């Protein structure tokens, strides 16, 4: 397979990831124009980190759908599984948001300041069905990717971004909600809108092709789905635990209010850049079935990773990051300086993201999801060890967070590379 052919298949999916990542900066831009910016950035950072953990079992449904939906029976079996998973995540979300469990997690486990906890309480309630909507959307996105309709994934995400921008700026103009609540409503509306759009895009494919596919020799059972998906879900959970653990570490270091407000911004900047590499996992799963494509996939991962890390360096050494922090987000000078440090230290995160996505895609294709789970366990262990070291030595918070994420990703990739080989 030529690089140009692979790029044509990958680009619409990468655009979809980028549009989804741009949602964060758009929301942060609105929050920067509302009162108490620092408090609301920190509060929404807490809300989002907890919401991401709750939704962790459903994020990899896109990979599971790409790998398993190869017949009508498999489609129906995985759809039932998706519905059950969505209901389970919604129940957990309600327990965290509407019971004293939230105070226990945010205060006792994460050590968050009381003002941040109070500001995050209502936003977490607003995002009750967020995880369920994501489950449904990721299931149908996986079907679209498997059957080479990646452009429709991009269209759905474009609709999501448009609804997010309209919701965020509309709520800002209304002016009756604090920034963290505006952000929560924006995400909830955007994800539900995208779930509806993606379903409408996928249903013609389901009716015209999937419902007419030959039956499997062996039906796809619920047990087989759980066996395949559980390590992927556990991997995502371990991945997303890094954010609240990082917040817990930052809350125990000097200038915690500033770092808890600035780190979500720095992380979001890097996440937008890393979006191009994150999309490599799904395209690798879909194309690894063609043996001649595998060397091209590896070269392409290096190209995407190198270019995106170079871009991260560009925004640091030019006025681009300063312009974004000051003019777009309207952060205070002190928060701008913290964001600069976080992005500068995390320059290699885009490269490790691309290479890690490639390695995980190859392993998912081969059904070796347990190695992915173990790799993420190594990642989290490394990450936590570095956080603890930073707290013990009382190092600067932004350095601790960025170094922990970067080094942990490198260690994970080296482990996965050995499993691939």
């Amino acid at each position: 397979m030529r690089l140009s052919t692979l790029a044509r298949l990958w680009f619409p999916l990468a655009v979809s990831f980028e549009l989804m990542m741009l949602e964060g900066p758009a929301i942060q831009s609105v929050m920067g124009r509302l009162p108490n910016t620092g408090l609301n950035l920190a509060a929404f950072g807490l809300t989002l980190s907890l919401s991401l953990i709750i939704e962790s079992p459903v994020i990899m449904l896109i990979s599971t759908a790409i790998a398993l939906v190869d017949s009508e029976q498999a489609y129906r079996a995985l759809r039932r599984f998706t519905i059950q998973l969505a209901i389970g995540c919604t129940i957990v979300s309600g327990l965290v948001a509407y019971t004293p469990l939230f105070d226990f997690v945010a205060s006792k486990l994460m050590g968050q300041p009381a003002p941040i906890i109070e500001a995050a309480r209502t936003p977490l309630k607003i995002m009750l069905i967020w995880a369920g909507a994501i489950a449904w959307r990721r299931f149908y996105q996986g079907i679209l990717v498997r059957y080479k309709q990646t452009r429709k994934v991009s269209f759905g995400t474009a609709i999501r971004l448009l609804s997010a921008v309209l919701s965020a700026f509309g709520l800002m103009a209304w002016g009756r909600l604090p920034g963290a609540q505006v952000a929560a409503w924006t995400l909830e509306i955007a994800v539900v809108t995208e779930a509806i759009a993606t379903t409408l895009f996928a249903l013609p494919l389901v009716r015209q092709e999937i419902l007419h596919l030959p039956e499997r020799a062996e039906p796809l059972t619920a047990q087989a789905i759980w066996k395949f998906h559980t390590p992927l879900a556990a991997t995502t959970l371990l991945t997303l635990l890094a954010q609240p653990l990082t917040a817990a570490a930052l809350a125990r270091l000097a200038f915690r209010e500033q770092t808890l407000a600035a780190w979500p911004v720095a992380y979001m900047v890097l996440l937008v850049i890393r979006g191009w590499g994150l999309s490599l996992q799904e395209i690798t799963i879909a194309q690894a079935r063609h043996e001649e494509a595998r060397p091209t996939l590896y070269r392409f991962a290096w190209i995407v990773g190198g270019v995106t890390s170079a871009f991260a360096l560009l925004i640091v050494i030019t006025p681009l990051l300063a312009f974004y922090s000051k003019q777009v987000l309207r952060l205070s000078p002190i928060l701008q300086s913290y964001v600069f440090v976080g992005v500068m230290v995390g320059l290699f995160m885009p490269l490790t993201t691309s290479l890690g996505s490639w390695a995980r895609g190859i392993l998912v294709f081969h059904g070796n999801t347990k190695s992915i789970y173990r790799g993420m366990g190594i990642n989290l262990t490394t990450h936590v060890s570095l956080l603890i070291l930073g707290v013990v030595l009382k190092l600067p918070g932004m350095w601790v967070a960025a170094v922990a994420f970067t080094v942990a990703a490198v260690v994970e990739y080296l482990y996965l590379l050995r499993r691939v080989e």
Side-chain angles (χ1 to χ4, degrees):
M1 176 179 285
R2 294 182 178 180
L3 282 171
S4 58
T5 303
L6 180 60
R8 282 197 298 271
L9 292 172
W10 162 81
F11 187 72
L13 189 59
V15 169
S16 173
F17 270 76
E18 280 306 302
L19 291 174
M20 185 169 60
M21 300 308 170
L22 287 173
E23 182 180 74
I27 292 172
Q28 289 175 347
S29 174
V30 168
M31 294 172 71
R33 288 162 171 76
L34 292 170
N36 300 315
T37 299
L39 173 63
N40 280 286
L41 282 171
F44 188 64
L46 173 59
T47 301
L48 190 58
S49 64
L50 293 177
S51 296
L52 287 170
I53 290 175
I54 293 167
E55 70 144 349
S56 60
V58 310
I59 291 178
M60 294 295 280
L61 276 170
I62 184 172
S63 297
T64 300
I66 293 171
L68 299 183
V69 179
D70 56 5
S71 68
E72 177 185 356
Q73 186 274 328
Y75 163 75
R76 297 190 186 280
L78 192 56
R79 187 177 63 177
R80 286 194 299 271
F81 177 80
T82 299
I83 293 171
Q84 293 166 0
L85 214 54
I87 293 172
C89 288
T90 303
I91 292 172
V92 173
S93 182
L95 290 174
V96 174
Y98 288 90
T99 72
L101 185 59
F102 172 64
D103 294 278
F104 174 77
V105 172
S107 179
K108 301 298 183 182
L109 297 184
M110 298 180 64
Q112 298 293 292
I116 293 176
I117 293 174
E118 288 307 312
R121 192 179 304 277
T122 300
L124 195 61
K125 294 178 180 178
I126 292 170
M127 294 179 67
L128 176 65
I129 64 170
W130 191 62
I134 289 176
W136 191 253
R137 184 252 301 180
R138 299 290 277 183
F139 166 63
Y140 277 111
Q141 281 181 330
I143 292 173
L144 290 170
V145 173
R146 179 182 175 93
Y147 294 94
K148 298 182 179 181
Q149 296 193 18
T150 52
R151 288 186 179 180
K152 291 182 178 180
V153 177
S154 300
F155 294 154
T157 311
I159 293 170
R160 168 179 171 166
L161 181 60
L162 178 61
S163 67
V165 171
L166 292 175
S167 300
F169 282 91
L171 289 169
M172 181 186 71
W174 187 42
R176 296 187 181 181
L177 296 176
Q181 293 183 34
V182 168
W185 276 117
T186 297
L187 281 188
E188 187 84 319
I189 293 168
V191 166
V192 170
T193 301
E194 185 187 17
I196 295 170
T198 303
T199 303
L200 294 176
F201 288 145
L203 285 181
L205 170 66
V206 171
R207 296 191 187 104
Q208 296 167 15
E209 187 166 345
I210 293 176
L211 297 184
H212 301 286
L213 289 172
E215 288 301 316
R216 281 172 159 233
E218 295 184 8
L220 182 64
T221 63
Q223 182 179 3
I225 296 172
W226 276 109
K227 183 178 180 180
F228 185 92
H229 184 75
T230 298
L232 295 178
T235 300
T236 306
L237 173 61
L238 293 177
T239 302
L240 295 175
L241 277 173
Q243 274 289 40
L245 289 172
T246 301
L250 294 179
R252 290 165 172 80
L253 291 170
F255 308 107
R256 63 179 186 174
E257 287 79 10
Q258 290 88 347
T259 53
L260 285 168
W263 174 245
V265 176
Y267 185 80
M268 186 59 67
V269 170
L270 290 168
L271 190 61
V272 169
I273 300 172
R274 293 165 58 211
W276 300 99
L278 288 169
S279 59
L280 285 171
Q281 178 169 320
E282 278 65 43
I283 207 68
T284 300
I285 298 169
Q287 297 304 314
R289 72 187 72 177
H290 308 296
E291 188 170 349
E292 70 279 4
R294 294 176 194 172
T296 306
L297 287 164
Y298 182 59
R299 290 197 303 272
F300 193 63
W302 271 101
I303 292 171
V304 172
V307 170
T308 49
S309 273
F311 181 76
L313 175 61
L314 177 68
I315 68 170
V316 167
I317 64 176
T318 66
L320 287 173
L321 183 59
F323 175 83
Y324 173 71
S325 298
K326 182 179 180 180
Q327 302 299 331
V328 178
L329 298 187
R330 298 188 179 181
L331 300 181
S332 65
I334 185 64
L335 290 183
Q336 292 175 42
S337 65
Y338 277 89
V339 170
F340 176 85
V341 171
V343 176
M344 179 188 67
V345 179
L347 287 177
F348 289 102
M349 287 175 64
L351 175 61
T352 55
T353 296
S354 295
L355 296 176
S357 294
W358 164 80
R360 284 188 291 272
I362 294 294
L363 291 170
V364 170
F365 168 74
H366 287 296
N368 189 5
T369 54
K370 287 186 178 180
S371 288
I372 298 173
Y373 171 70
R374 295 190 186 107
M376 195 58 236
I378 292 171
N379 179 308
L380 189 63
T381 301
T382 304
H383 190 103
V384 171
S385 299
L386 292 171
L387 291 178
I388 293 173
L389 181 64
V391 171
V392 170
L393 297 178
K394 300 186 184 304
L395 299 175
M398 298 301 286
W399 278 84
V400 171
V403 168
F405 271 99
T406 303
V407 174
V410 171
V411 173
E412 179 195 8
Y413 169 67
L414 293 176
Y415 169 82
L416 293 177
L417 186 61
R418 292 183 61 186
R419 304 282 79 75
V420 170
E421 293 173 348

